[in-house]
Amino acid sequence: MTGSDPVTTATALRRFAAALCATALFAVGLTSVPAAAQNPITDIEIGPRPFYLVGEMKDGALKDQLAQCKGPFTAKNFSIAHRGAPLQFPEHTREGYIAAARMGAGVIECDVAFTKDRELVCRHAQCDLHTTTDILARPELAAKCSQGFTPADPASGRKASAKCCTSDLTLAEFRSLRPKMDGSNPRAATAEEYMDGTPSWRTDLYVNRATLVSHKDYIALVKSLGLKFTPELKTPEVAMPFEGSYTQEHYAQQMIDEYKAAGVDPRDVYAQSFRLEDVLYWLKAEPAFGAQAVYLDGRDESGEGFDNMKPETWKPSMQELADKGVKILAPPLWMLVTHKDGKIVPSIYAEEAKKAKLGLISWSLERSGPLNTGGGYYYQSVKPVIDRDGDMLSLLDVLARDIGVIGVFSDWPATTTFYANCMKLN
């Protein structure tokens, strides 16, 4: 979800000024950390947001219980940092990862893509550089994009577009880019306007000094912080084998090899993919890593009639997945829940996954903005029973206590850290 929310030039100038003012904050704040190895973070800081969400909850026993939770708070594996901490920090940046660690995420995600020279880097999609970096403002690099910037055409209804991929650049060129908050302006007439699309419920405050990272950089950082890893092998958006020789298996193996080279315990790595074939490859070729590989379930967007309430549409079935060796299944939030009598309850999908003894992880809390208008994609199955941000915690409680998920991705890990501590989860 890109969540484009175009802003005016005046707003953009105010945000730019705020970013400049933020330089002083970086001198003492979360991101004022040198590039050398870190130390494990023991003083977890969850800030005011979790308590704000508690205050926004409907009255009841859960609200009363969470209101009594005062800390101290510790890092929890239940709390998984989705792309770092992208509610406020540019995603997949060193600063976003450190912010997530300070908020108690026990597991940090790197979405893994490859460059033109076949180096692995952390990006949510292979072809998102036009919405997550300043590449379109860099003529020498923009010229290498798979598709250059095309302005919007109000007469025809054509939206502004571009397509810039990690595989268009070398690692050195990728490192030279500056990250920004994910977003674009579909009505843009210029590349500058196109890049100015940060959703109103995020912020550009911490963009000024954010740093892109390679997969190896991410491994070194998370290892030094004493946390666990969840790398997602992104589905390629270019033809494979890439340039005739780099196969999907080479790509899947390279990702695992970088953990082995860094001496990382396989039990600390939750390799992910939306491609079942990748998970099966790891199970066969790297069983120590494959044992807790995560199959990300995106079948709702496959166009093949998937319905989370109709088991006959699940191909393969829950039991077939388990029989293939899959241990952990990770669907979006909405697949695991439905509503009944005005309450959020487990879906048939969740119940059948438990019957097949599949571990469950879900994504992604706090991704789609305020819930007073229904919450968007991630909350579609419970839209009739949500009307406030506090409903995030009600959903989280159903996921944890009624369904038994082992972890939840969040764009602001303080929320999942808070809940996990209050409920004494791992």
Side-chain angles (χ1 to χ4, degrees), residues 65-329:
Q65 181 178 2
L66 294 177
Q68 298 302 313
C69 187
K70 305 299 183 184
F73 300 99
T74 60
K76 295 290 184 178
N77 292 334
F78 179 87
S79 181
I80 306 173
H82 181 239
R83 313 186 200 180
L87 189 61
Q88 290 196 20
F89 291 80
E91 63 189 41
H92 293 309
T93 58
R94 178 179 181 81
E95 293 73 19
Y97 292 149
I98 293 171
R102 289 203 182 280
M103 287 187 279
V107 186
I108 308 282
E109 181 188 41
C110 165
D111 292 318
V112 178
F114 59 84
T115 61
K116 187 174 181 62
D117 49 354
R118 303 178 190 181
E119 296 290 339
L120 302 183
V121 295
C122 297
R123 283 293 87 197
H124 175 250
Q126 184 177 27
C127 298
D128 73 359
L129 297 182
H130 50 288
T131 64
T132 63
T133 75
D134 68 343
I135 190 168
L136 295 179
R138 307 278 295 280
E140 75 285 4
L141 297 181
K144 299 185 178 188
C145 290
S146 295
Q147 175 194 321
F149 171 72
T150 301
D153 181 6
S156 66
R158 182 187 69 202
K159 295 181 179 180
S161 65
K163 184 178 181 181
C164 303
C165 308
T166 58
S167 52
D168 294 332
L169 306 180
T170 66
L171 176 60
E173 290 168 335
F174 171 82
R175 285 189 183 281
S176 74
L177 296 171
R178 292 184 61 182
K180 70 179 192 68
M181 296 299 279
D182 183 18
S184 61
N185 179 354
R187 297 189 291 274
T190 67
E192 289 75 16
E193 290 177 351
Y194 181 77
M195 292 189 296
D196 187 12
T198 302
S200 60
W201 39 270
R202 295 191 186 135
T203 178
D204 289 323
L205 187 63
Y206 300 109
V207 169
N208 195 43
R209 286 178 56 188
T211 312
L212 295 176
V213 296
S214 71
H215 183 233
K216 290 177 182 176
D217 296 335
Y218 153 83
I219 292 174
L221 175 62
V222 176
K223 183 179 180 182
S224 71
L225 291 168
L227 303 174
K228 297 183 186 295
F229 312 79
T230 185
E232 179 190 334
L233 194 76
K234 299 305 298 187
T235 300
E237 296 184 45
V238 296
M240 299 293 277
F242 178 61
E243 297 188 338
S245 59
Y246 187 59
T247 67
Q248 183 69 26
E249 288 190 354
H250 288 150
Y251 176 34
Q253 186 62 52
Q254 182 182 357
M255 189 182 85
I256 298 301
D257 285 345
E258 294 194 351
Y259 290 94
K260 295 167 71 174
V264 174
D265 189 328
R267 292 172 296 182
D268 290 338
V269 182
Y270 296 85
Q272 313 171 71
S273 180
F274 279 99
R275 298 180 74 255
L276 180 58
E277 296 86 350
D278 294 334
V279 175
L280 298 181
Y281 171 80
W282 292 323
L283 282 164
K284 180 179 180 180
E286 294 288 349
F289 289 88
Q292 56 185 32
V294 180
Y295 174 42
L296 295 162
D297 196 346
R299 290 177 288 179
D300 61 310
E301 297 185 331
S302 67
E304 297 180 0
F306 177 93
D307 187 326
N308 74 319
M309 299 299 285
K310 296 181 178 179
E312 64 271 18
T313 68
W314 311 340
K315 300 175 183 179
S317 69
M318 297 298 183
Q319 190 57 52
E320 287 169 339
L321 286 174
D323 291 343
K324 290 177 183 291
V326 175
K327 299 292 191 298
I328 304 174
L329 182 63

Side-chain angles (χ1 to χ4, degrees), residues 7-26:
V7 295
T8 64
T9 300
T11 301
L13 289 173
R14 287 195 297 271
R15 286 177 169 171
F16 179 69
L20 290 178
C21 293
T23 301
L25 294 177
F26 277 103

